[in-house]
Structure formats: C-alpha cells, structure tokens
Amino acid sequence: MEDVFESAKQMQKDAWSVIDETGVINHWSSIGATINLVGSLKTGLLINNRDIDFHIYTNPFNLSDSFLAISGLAENKRIKTVSYSNLLDAEDKCIEWHAFYDDQNGNSWQIDMIHLLNESPYAGYFERVAERISKVLTKETREAILRIKKAIPTDKKVMSIQIYKAVIEDGVRSLEGFWRWEKQNQNEGIITWVP
C-alpha cells in the first residue's frame, strides 16, 4: 500500500520548489505586501492537487501595486496564464489572482493569490483556520485526510475544508464514508468551519 505520508512529503517539496522558482513571495514583498501561506500546503495536507494558496495584505491597499506584483511574476516563462477577479465590492473585499505554472516535469500548478482589503471579513481568517487544523491533527486524522484526498478523482472538485471537517469533527475515515457525509452536508460558497 502506498505511503501517503511520503507522497504528501514529495508533493509539498515540489510545491516549495514552485514557490522558489516563481519568486512569488519576493514579487509581493517588493510592493511592501505581507504574504501568508494558507490552505493545504500550510497544513501539510497537500497531496494530489497542485494548488498553492496565499493571502496577501498591503497597507494601504493599492490596486496598481497588485498589478505590479503580478507583472513581475508573469515575467517567468513558465507562468502560462494569469486570471484576475475584482471582488472589492463583494462580501470578500479582495482581488483574486490565479497563476498557472508549468514545472520542469510538465505538471501544471495553480497559484492562488488573494489580495484582501484589511477590512475584509476574511482578513486573517484562513490563516487562523490553517493554524487550528494543524494544531488538532493527529497521525490518524492526517492519514485519513491524505488517503481521502488521494483517492478523489482529479476531475471531481471537492473543497479540502469539507474533508477536514468530515474527518476531524465527524469521524469519517474512508472515501466511501466521505461521499455519504458530503451528500448529507451540502454546502455552497465559503465554508467557515474551524476545528
């Protein structure tokens, strides 16, 4: 049986190589931004989705600075696509950037960079969620989460936070159990669960 801990360790090592090779942290730091890693890479639960998540803050917020950071990132020839969504007037109060990077092995990575206004209700929120998840994980729950995430087909979109909640709060330990749990716990939009 495959060692999911080793698979996750390798995937996370690869993710850190992408961060280094793109210089993403330096590009945001160059505009005076605070850039925080959030999501699966932060919690050590990245295993099969090549997705790296950052939440970014500047004070004051300046839209042109956000574009400046991204323009530096886009100069990397392995960045193939960048998308932008302006949600400054939405509940999120943020700019969403999604960059797609092809690594030297031909794998495509998605780098999500959410540039939040300081008054966004989500400012600092997902950093706290990642901290709490990291604190409550046991070897057993970490393994269950990694096994479930690894078993989900790549064409099936599942928010990781749903898996974390199912395993940590509701005791789910298998993919079949997760699918049953998901049917009973339908959710649209941002999930605000914290363990």
Side-chain angles (χ1 to χ4, degrees):
M1 182 176 282
E2 180 189 18
D3 186 337
V4 289
F5 293 114
E6 279 304 312
S7 293
K9 185 177 177 182
Q10 184 59 53
M11 180 67 85
Q12 290 164 59
K13 182 179 173 190
D14 293 347
W16 279 106
S17 291
V18 170
I19 291 169
D20 290 342
E21 289 163 15
T22 59
V24 61
I25 293 173
N26 292 336
H27 290 299
W28 285 101
S29 296
S30 73
I31 63 156
T34 298
I35 178 167
N36 297 330
L37 184 64
V38 295
S40 297
L41 183 56
K42 176 70 177 179
T43 58
L45 297 170
L46 182 69
I47 190 163
N48 60 343
N49 287 339
R50 290 181 175 85
D51 185 24
I52 302 168
D53 301 295
F54 291 105
H55 280 193
I56 297 153
Y57 306 90
T58 51
N59 193 10
F61 177 91
N62 185 319
L63 186 56
S64 62
D65 285 345
S66 198
F67 275 89
L68 186 62
I70 290 297
S71 70
L73 180 69
E75 288 182 20
N76 185 308
K77 65 181 181 180
R78 291 187 182 274
I79 297 284
K80 300 302 180 186
T81 308
V82 176
S83 69
Y84 158 83
S85 297
N86 185 327
L87 302 172
L88 292 174
D89 292 331
E91 177 192 358
D92 308 42
K93 293 185 175 16
C94 68
I95 300 294
E96 283 191 9
W97 293 103
H98 304 283
F100 295 87
Y101 173 85
D102 289 346
D103 69 19
Q104 61 272 18
N105 299 316
N107 298 311
S108 183
W109 289 80
Q110 180 172 327
I111 306 170
D112 297 329
M113 297 157 285
I114 312 303
H115 190 177
L116 293 109
L117 293 179
N118 292 313
E119 58 270 21
S120 167
Y122 299 110
Y125 178 77
F126 287 100
E127 290 88 336
R128 291 189 297 277
V129 171
E131 279 179 32
R132 286 291 307 146
I133 289 168
S134 296
K135 281 184 180 173
V136 302
L137 281 175
T138 63
K139 185 175 182 185
E140 180 195 2
T141 56
R142 182 181 297 276
E143 182 175 11
I145 289 167
L146 291 172
R147 287 201 183 286
I148 292 168
K149 288 179 88 171
K150 184 77 172 165
I152 292 174
T154 53
D155 62 338
K156 179 88 169 141
K157 192 75 174 154
V158 174
M159 287 186 280
S160 293
I161 193 78
Q162 292 176 294
I163 300 168
Y164 306 160
K165 183 178 184 196
V167 170
I168 294 168
E169 188 171 276
D170 295 329
V172 171
R173 294 293 183 266
S174 68
L175 181 61
E176 298 74 24
F178 175 72
W179 293 137
R180 286 192 299 273
W181 180 92
E182 186 187 42
K183 279 185 185 172
Q184 298 167 353
N185 294 274
Q186 294 296 318
N187 203 317
E188 298 293 322
I190 296 172
I191 297 173
T192 56
W193 172 79
V194 182

